Amino acid sequence: MERLSDDLLALILDKFEDPNDRKSFSQVCKNWLRVEGFHRSTLQVFEPDLLPNFLPRFPNLLKFQASTPIRNSLIQFLANTCPRIQVLNLNYKETGDHRCENVGEDDFDDEGLCDIARGYRDLRKVLLRRRSGIGNHGVVSLVGFSGNLRNLDLGFCRRVSDEALESIGGVLVDNRYGFGFLGKGYLCNALRILNLAECDQITDCGLIYLKEMSCLEELNLAPCGKVTDIGFEMAVATFWTLKKLNMSWLIDVSHVTMVALARNCRNLEVLDLSGCEIVSETVFRAFASHGSLKELIWTDNEFAITGHDLEYLVFGCSTLERTVLDKRFRVWVPLAVEERILRRNCVLEWG
């Protein structure tokens, strides 16, 4: 076995797709272990404190995942050791005593995110959900260095505010963090997925900073409590590339937004309006002539839904495949209407 070259071993390794088979390959001998580590592209870590013991074996990682607390010093070690990473999944998973609001000094913060920004120049996907230490400083730094970023998850990062959106929208020209943005650019022409769920410091002004986004396909704003019709009319409704929008529990958004979205977001396929208290049945009429909508979710609302309204939407919007509505109003929809909708091959659910 010692006579086999590294190139030949790499060709053999490429034949194994199952992770268990690749693990068995690495256990043959030290040479095979080294080759397997050198060619490993994906790594999921459950105990980040042990990273210094094994991470140097994987210098060419492209994807890294860790869902537990990880200190700033280890984030810096990761950036220095594996500079080729393109997908960084650091979404935090709450377990036992480690709830996202209680992680504190055990977890990385803006300092660690700045190390990520400086260490990786080809990041495509960064997931930071529930990392409570992340705020505007780190996001601004990340955006400034990551021009190829396609997917950014900041869900439940409650320190993130309009200032971060200002940088994402490419309109921040400032040297507070050591660099400036050159007009409208950076992520405006790259970012496709943006999750801002539970970022409750975001306002209409923050959304307006995003109005130049030209590639955005998925946006999660559920719920950003300070967002109103103004932010949607002036920004979100201008995203003609938008395909999936979650605006559940935005209690200050009304039928005005529905009309704007239906008129301008012609590629929208999935819309979640759960808990939007003042959105009326106007949504059915607004999207009845829409040419792309496939899924509409509207539960926890206060407006009674009639069979006539429902049929108007389902038979008017030929692309609609699934509708989820508040079960409290099922009594207002005749069984005959439900049957006609099913014959139209549209799934009707009551949640």
Side-chain angles (χ1 to χ4, degrees):
M1 293 300 180
E2 295 292 341
R3 296 194 185 99
L4 296 178
S5 67
D6 288 356
D7 290 341
L8 183 55
L9 286 176
L11 290 174
I12 296 174
L13 181 62
D14 286 342
K15 301 296 181 181
F16 299 108
E17 296 183 359
D18 190 298
N20 292 324
D21 292 338
R22 296 177 73 93
K23 181 178 179 180
S24 297
F25 177 98
S26 69
Q27 294 172 340
V28 173
C29 65
K30 289 183 178 180
N31 194 37
W32 288 42
L33 176 69
R34 179 179 57 80
V35 171
E36 191 276 334
F38 188 79
H39 290 274
R40 176 81 69 90
S41 62
T42 302
L43 183 67
Q44 182 176 6
V45 175
F46 298 97
E47 297 184 57
D49 285 346
L50 300 179
L51 279 174
N53 297 339
F54 61 82
L55 190 64
R57 191 164 72 87
F58 311 109
N60 295 311
L61 289 180
L62 298 178
K63 299 179 182 179
F64 179 87
Q65 179 178 353
S67 58
T68 56
I70 177 170
R71 300 191 307 274
N72 283 327
S73 59
L74 293 174
I75 288 290
Q76 185 180 45
F77 178 74
L78 173 65
N80 292 336
T81 307
C82 305
R84 298 182 59 200
I85 288 178
Q86 296 178 344
V87 176
L88 198 56
N89 184 350
L90 298 176
N91 279 349
Y92 181 75
K93 183 178 181 180
E94 296 182 337
T95 56
D97 295 332
H98 287 289
R99 300 187 64 81
C100 63
E101 63 269 22
N102 297 323
V103 176
E105 61 184 18
D106 293 334
D107 200 25
F108 73 98
D109 53 21
D110 284 337
E111 179 184 343
L113 189 53
C114 287
D115 287 332
I116 289 172
R118 289 189 292 265
Y120 302 119
R121 297 304 176 89
D122 195 26
L123 284 172
R124 309 297 178 86
K125 182 177 182 180
V126 178
L127 309 181
L128 302 168
R129 191 184 314 158
R130 296 186 185 276
R131 295 291 181 175
S132 58
I134 298 303
N136 295 324
H137 185 180
V139 175
V140 170
S141 180
L142 178 68
V143 170
F145 287 106
S146 306
N148 293 322
L149 197 60
R150 302 290 188 271
N151 185 339
L152 178 59
D153 189 343
L154 298 172
F156 295 84
C157 295
R158 292 190 169 92
R159 294 176 57 202
V160 170
S161 69
D162 292 346
E163 184 179 329
L165 269 61
E166 191 177 8
S167 65
I168 292 172
V171 298
L172 181 63
V173 182
D174 190 271
N175 288 310
R176 279 169 288 182
Y177 305 125
F179 53 86
F181 293 91
L182 303 178
K184 291 178 172 63
Y186 283 84
L187 298 191
C188 287
N189 301 314
L191 196 66
R192 287 172 169 77
I193 301 174
L194 178 60
N195 185 357
L196 299 171
E198 296 283 351
C199 295
D200 49 20
Q201 293 190 54
I202 290 174
T203 70
D204 290 329
C205 291
L207 289 186
I208 293 171
Y209 289 136
L210 302 179
K211 64 182 180 180
E212 300 296 329
M213 306 294 288
S214 62
C215 298
L216 200 63
E217 296 179 358
E218 296 184 21
L219 178 62
N220 189 340
L221 295 170
C224 296
K226 301 177 183 178
V227 173
T228 71
D229 289 327
I230 296 174
F232 276 89
E233 279 195 288
M234 296 189 66
V236 179
T238 67
F239 301 152
W240 66 273
T241 56
L242 199 62
K243 294 183 179 180
K244 185 175 182 179
L245 175 62
N246 188 340
M247 47 186 293
S248 57
W249 298 102
L250 294 180
I251 60 175
D252 294 319
V253 172
S254 72
H255 67 280
V256 173
T257 290
M258 297 302 102
V259 173
L261 291 174
R263 181 176 61 246
N264 300 319
C265 299
R266 304 306 298 176
N267 293 305
L268 190 63
E269 297 179 356
V270 180
L271 178 62
D272 190 340
L273 302 173
S274 301
C276 293
E277 297 177 354
I278 60 174
V279 169
S280 69
E281 64 276 7
T282 305
V283 64
F284 293 122
R285 298 192 176 276
F287 281 92
S289 59
H290 199 270
S292 299
L293 191 67
K294 295 181 180 180
E295 181 175 322
L296 174 65
I297 304 171
W298 192 30
T299 60
D300 298 288
N301 63 288
E302 299 301 325
F303 289 89
I305 299 168
T306 68
H308 176 73
D309 293 330
L310 191 53
E311 279 193 295
Y312 191 86
L313 170 68
V314 173
F315 288 95
C317 182
S318 61
T319 57
L320 196 63
E321 299 175 354
R322 178 174 179 258
T323 307
V324 183
L325 301 173
D326 197 307
K327 61 184 178 182
R328 293 175 299 168
F329 303 120
R330 188 171 187 177
V331 295
W332 298 100
V333 179
L335 182 59
V337 171
E338 290 196 46
E339 291 175 346
R340 286 196 292 271
I341 290 174
L342 290 176
R343 286 197 294 270
R344 211 295 256 139
N345 293 322
C346 179
V347 176
L348 179 59
E349 301 177 16
W350 301 93

